[in-house]
Structures are given as structure tokens and as C-alpha cells.
């Protein structure tokens, strides 16, 4: 823990005062970013009305090198993409059946009731308490993470980033770290899983922590026009406030794999599909109408919320993802603002496995050293509440269920 974390309210106050004094031509920078944001929101709404603002690719086009420069440029602009057909329907159906047996056969709900209150992640974001399953090590989850098709998809996504400059390689795009996340299995009619707009991977750190300041160096002190959300320089050195609500690994894209058909109205994901929103949010908190010591409501150890009070212009760009089928995958840049619909108005479970793109780098290697013992013991992944449901679960994955690639992705075998 760095020194400033010992007194976070004071650090927030000092950082805000310092940046207000230091950022060159602060008012003009914010005006330029506001104009850019408003133009992008208008473009998103127009694209959504004329066919969809979220880019889409076919997995087969990735495999066969048929993704065009124009498609890549659109992903860079929108900060998200749906990759269709990563897994076939029969495979997904088999995974669904095994997950249901894993949940019901191990009496997960009784375990969850006994440990109610341990998971604090959603307390500041939820319309009601979410129904996310705190499961990390079922065989279907491990099989999906280590699958060669998932490996190919994530390598493609990693390569959308600038991962090497001046002879320095920030991460290896073709090697993955299997960051363990959970399962969503939302029932029709559920109204307890709504999440308000936010981004993950740090809140007040973005203003206070020197490692984050380097990521956003062009925003605070350099050439604002040169800020590139896909530049990996500095991203693997960031230091987050330790919290079971904050991802301490580096993800090029957050993501999930659809286990069921779902789309608008099915209680699923919403995005502000604009990759470059962080500069506006950072500069917004430095404007004179924001009280001292308040970074537009950012709270330590939580996701960074985009609130109606401070970020209305940005929230105007919030749209639902398109309809996806079982085996499709959805990906969004770690800075992208996202939310979850308050109500599931569909007629079947809205289910996903959360699987991110986390390339092999020093930050993720260190996380694998923490995560591997949790996998071996059946404990919760280190970034999440220590509910540890799976310690005695029957059917939990073991190293024997992992392929050579899966063992490497989990840090249990060295890469060649």
C-alpha cells in the first residue's frame, strides 16, 4: 500500500487541488473533450438507430484473417465488439447442463444464504442485490477459458492494443492469463441485478496514484489529442487500492461468453460505446462546480460510477448490446462505461460466463501466483469476496482437467 492510501480523503483533496493548479489550460481542455464527447454520443445514437453502434465480427473472419482495417478502426473508436460464433450451440448446451448440475447438486443457494453479506462489490451500484454466482472453478468455466477458440479470440483482441514501443514489450498478446471470474444466471422477471453505469479497474486512484497518472499523462499535462486508450504504456504498472471490489489484474478487454440467447430487455449489458471517455471524466472532476474533496462521487475500493448528477452528457450514449446467441462473446475496453439493465423481461435464463482478455505480463503473472493456490484449494479468486463456496464442491475442476495450454494460462506450468 502506498503512503497516500493511509489517508485517502486527504489524498483526494490534495490531488484535486494540485491538478486544478497544474493542468495546463484546464477550462479549454475540458471544453474540447466535452465537444468531442457530445459529437461521439450523437454518432452513437445515429448508428444505433440505423443498425447498431456496437461493432460485430464473425469468429471465422478472425481465424481466416478477414477482419478489415475499417472494422479494426471502428472497434478502436467504439471500444467494444461482439465476436459471434466462438463456440457452437451443442458445446454451450453441454456447459449449461453441467453448470446447472454443479449449482443445484452442491446446494449453492443454501451456501449463499449462509454467507450473505460477504460480497460488497455491488453495494454502491446495484438497484437491488445482484444474483451473480460466486463460482470460479466449475469444469465448464475452465474449459471455456482454456479453449483454443477463446485463445485465438483473445490474442486478436490483445493485438488491437499498442503492446510494444521503442523495444519495450508491455505484454505478450499471444499468451493469456486466465483471470477467474464468475457466472451470471439471471431468471426471467428478475429485478435485482441492475447496475448503474460505471467502469472498473480503479476509481480515485486515477487522480491520486502516480502509476495511474502516467497512464493519463497526456490528459493531465501533455498533448490531449495524443491520448490513446489502446496504448498499454503504464497500464501494467498501475497500483489499485486493495479491495474485493477492484480488479488487480490487467485486462485489455472485459468480456463474457453467452450461454443463452439474450439482448435488449433481457436484463443484460448496456454500454456507452466510446473508447475515449476517460479524459472527459478525469477533467470533469476538476471543474469549479465540483466541491473540494469530491471527485464526482468516486469512492475508494469501488468501481468508478458515471452518475446522473455529474456525467449526464456521457450517460446519454448508453445503449443495449445487440441480440446475441449461445456461443457468442461480448467484449469491452476496461475504460468503457457499462451497466446492466434493471429488469429481465425475457422468458428464459440470461446466462453468461465472465471471461476477460488478460494477456501475459508481469502484473498478471504476479496475480496468477495469488490465484493458482485458490484454484487448487477451491477458494474464491483473490479479487473477490472470500466466500469460498467451492472448497468441498463435487465436480470442481482440478489440474487434471486442464490442457497444457490451460496449465500455462493458470501459471501452473511455465511457458516455453
Amino acid at each position: 500500500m502506498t503512503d497516500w492510501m493511509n489517508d485517502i480523503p486527504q489524498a483526494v483533496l490534495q490531488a484535486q487541488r494540485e491538478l486544478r493548479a497544474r493542468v495546463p489550460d484546464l477550462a479549454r481542455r475540458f471544453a474540447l473533450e466535452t465537444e468531442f464527447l457530445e459529437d461521439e454520443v450523437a454518432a452513437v445514437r445515429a448508428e444505433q438507430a440505423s443498425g447498431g453502434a456496437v461493432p460485430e465480427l464473425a469468429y471465422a473472419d478472425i481465424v481466416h484473417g478477414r477482419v478489415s482495417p475499417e472494422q479494426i478502426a471502428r472497434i478502436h473508436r467504439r471500444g467494444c465488439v461482439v465476436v459471434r460464433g466462438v463456440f457452437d450451440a451443442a458445446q454451450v448446451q453441454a456447459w449449461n447442463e453441467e453448470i446447472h448440475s454443479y449449482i443445484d447438486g452442491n446446494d449453492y443457494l443454501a451456501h449463499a444464504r449462509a454467507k450473505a453479506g460477504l460480497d460488497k462489490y455491488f453495494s454502491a451500484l446495484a438497484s437491488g442485490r445482484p444474483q451473480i454466482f460466486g463460482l470460479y472453478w466449475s469444469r465448464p468455466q475452465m474449459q471455456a477459458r482454456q479453449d483454443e477458440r477463446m485463445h485465438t479470440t483473445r490474442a486478436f483482441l490483445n493485438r488491437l492494443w499498442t503492446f510494444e514501443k521503442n523495444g519495450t514489450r508491455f505484454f505478450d498478446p499471444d499468451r493469456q492469463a486466465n483471470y477467474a471470474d464468475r457466472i451470471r444466471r439471471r431468471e426471467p422477471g428478475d429485478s435485482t441485478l441492475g447496475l448503474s453505469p460505471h467502469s472498473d479497474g480503479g476509481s480515485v486512484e486515477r487522480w491520486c496514484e502516480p502509476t495511474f497518472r502516467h497512464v493519463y499523462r497526456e490528459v493531465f499535462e501533455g498533448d490531449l489529442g495524443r491520448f490513446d486508450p489502446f496504448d498499454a504504456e503504464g497500464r501494467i504498472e498501475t497500483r489499485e487500492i486493495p479491495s474485493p471490489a477492484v480488479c488487480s489484474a490487467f485486462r485489455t478487454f472485459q468480456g463474457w461468453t453467452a450461454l443463452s440467447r439474450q439482448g435488449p430487455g433481457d436484463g443484460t449489458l448496456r454500454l456507452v460505446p466510446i473508447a475515449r471517455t476517460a479524459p472527459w471524466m478525469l477533467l470533469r472532476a476538476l471543474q469549479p462546480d465540483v466541491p473540494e474533496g469530491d471527485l464526482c462521487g468516486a469512492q475508494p475500493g469501488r468501481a468508478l460510477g458515471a452518475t446522473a448528477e455529474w456525467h449526464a452528457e456521457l450517460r446519454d450514449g448508453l445503449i443495449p448490446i445487440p441480440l446475441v446467441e449461445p456461443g457468442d462473446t461480448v467484449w469491452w475496453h476496461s475504460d468503457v462505461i457499462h451497466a446492466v439493465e434493471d429488469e429481465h423481461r425475457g422468458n428464459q435464463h440470461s446466462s453468461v460466463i465472465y471471461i476477460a482478455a488478460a494477456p501475459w505480463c508481469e502484473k498478471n503473472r504476479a496475480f496468477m501466483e495469488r490465484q493458482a493456490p485458490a484454484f487448487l484449494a477451491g477458494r474464491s479468486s483473490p479479487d473477490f469476496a472470500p466466500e469460498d463456496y467451492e472448497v468441498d464442491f463435487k465436480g470442481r475442476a482440478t489440474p487434471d482437467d486442464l490442457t497444457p495450454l490451460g496449465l500455462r494460462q493458470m501459471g501452473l506450468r511455465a511457458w516455453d
Side-chain angles (χ1 to χ4, degrees):
M1 180 178 293
T2 54
D3 290 343
W4 71 269
M5 295 181 191
N6 294 324
D7 188 348
I8 292 175
Q10 182 62 28
V12 166
L13 179 63
Q14 290 181 348
Q16 189 185 46
R17 286 176 176 173
E18 176 195 353
L19 289 168
R20 279 173 165 165
R22 279 184 48 192
V23 174
D25 204 359
L26 176 58
R28 182 173 178 274
R29 281 177 180 245
F30 182 63
L32 288 172
E33 283 302 306
T34 300
E35 181 180 2
F36 168 82
L37 178 66
E38 290 174 344
D39 288 347
E40 282 295 272
V41 166
V44 163
R45 295 176 74 87
E47 290 171 22
Q48 186 72 355
S50 63
V54 176
E56 301 181 25
L57 298 176
Y59 172 76
D61 288 342
I62 292 175
V63 172
H64 296 294
R66 297 193 295 252
V67 181
S68 70
E70 292 76 17
Q71 288 173 302
I72 290 174
R74 188 156 184 254
I75 297 170
H76 278 146
R77 182 179 180 185
R78 292 285 155 252
C80 58
V81 62
V82 172
V83 180
R84 297 196 179 275
V86 176
F87 300 110
D88 64 51
Q91 175 66 83
V92 172
Q93 179 60 30
W95 283 342
N96 260 322
E97 292 173 0
E98 186 169 351
I99 287 171
H100 292 177
S101 296
Y102 188 67
I103 290 171
D104 298 338
N106 287 295
D107 204 5
Y108 173 86
L109 295 180
H111 286 82
R113 284 192 293 269
K115 297 188 178 185
L118 279 178
D119 182 1
K120 305 293 185 183
Y121 177 75
F122 295 99
S123 61
L125 296 172
S127 301
R129 180 160 179 82
Q131 295 179 346
I132 298 291
F133 287 73
L135 302 173
Y136 307 89
W137 312 123
S138 71
R139 280 193 292 258
Q141 286 169 285
M142 299 304 291
Q143 289 166 0
R145 292 169 189 147
Q146 72 182 358
D147 193 281
E148 290 284 353
R149 296 169 70 90
M150 179 61 71
H151 174 74
T152 298
T153 302
R154 292 189 291 186
F156 168 80
L157 294 168
N158 291 338
R159 286 185 167 274
L160 297 176
W161 283 66
T162 298
F163 56 87
E164 187 173 15
K165 288 198 300 189
N166 302 320
T168 299
R169 175 168 277 207
F170 309 121
F171 62 77
D172 186 336
D174 299 318
R175 296 178 177 181
Q176 310 298 327
N178 269 338
Y179 180 80
D181 207 325
R182 297 173 289 186
I183 293 170
R184 185 229 296 163
R185 186 188 177 204
R186 195 173 188 188
E187 296 182 355
D190 176 70
S191 59
T192 67
L193 185 54
L195 292 180
S196 59
H198 65 283
S199 66
D200 298 295
S203 59
V204 299
E205 298 99 313
R206 298 174 194 242
W207 294 269
C208 298
E209 171 57 42
T211 57
F212 276 83
R213 290 270 197 97
H214 183 69
V215 170
Y216 300 113
R217 60 198 176 276
E218 301 291 1
V219 178
F220 290 134
E221 57 191 45
D223 180 350
L224 184 60
R226 293 184 60 183
F227 173 75
D228 178 4
F230 287 91
D231 182 354
E233 182 180 345
R235 296 266 182 175
I236 64 169
E237 280 91 30
T238 57
R239 300 183 66 181
E240 298 79 15
I241 296 170
S243 166
V246 173
C247 176
S248 59
F250 167 63
R251 297 177 290 185
T252 54
F253 285 84
Q254 295 173 240
W256 50 252
T257 295
L259 299 179
S260 64
R261 195 170 195 256
Q262 55 197 281
D266 291 331
T268 189
L269 185 69
R270 305 172 76 200
L271 298 168
V272 177
I274 303 171
R276 184 193 166 101
T277 56
W280 185 83
M281 290 193 75
L282 293 168
L283 296 172
R284 180 70 189 91
L286 307 179
Q287 299 311 300
D289 63 326
V290 181
E292 279 203 332
D294 181 355
L295 295 171
C296 292
Q299 297 296 316
R302 301 290 181 188
L304 181 63
T307 68
E309 179 181 6
W310 299 114
H311 308 108
E313 298 95 325
L314 188 155
R315 288 164 60 108
D316 284 344
L318 194 65
I319 61 167
I321 61 166
L323 181 68
V324 296
E325 301 291 344
D328 292 344
T329 59
V330 183
W331 308 91
W332 61 99
H333 185 288
S334 53
D335 281 351
V336 162
I337 300 298
H338 54 286
V340 175
E341 293 174 326
D342 282 347
E343 185 179 356
H344 179 5
R345 300 193 302 273
N347 56 16
Q348 64 174 336
H349 278 89
S350 174
S351 301
V352 308
I353 299 174
Y354 292 100
I355 304 176
W360 200 260
C361 60
E362 180 56 30
K363 186 180 180 79
N364 291 343
R365 183 202 62 76
F367 184 80
M368 291 302 107
E369 288 187 352
R370 297 167 54 213
Q371 181 180 261
F375 164 62
L376 295 174
R379 292 183 279 106
S380 297
S381 182
D383 264 356
F384 298 87
E387 297 162 309
D388 299 337
Y389 296 124
E390 295 171 272
V391 171
D392 297 318
F393 272 25
K394 297 177 181 178
R396 171 166 58 86
T398 71
D400 290 340
D401 295 300
L402 302 187
T403 63
L405 177 62
L407 289 166
R408 293 184 176 94
Q409 292 172 337
M410 286 293 293
L412 294 171
R413 180 181 294 182
W415 289 94
D416 297 333

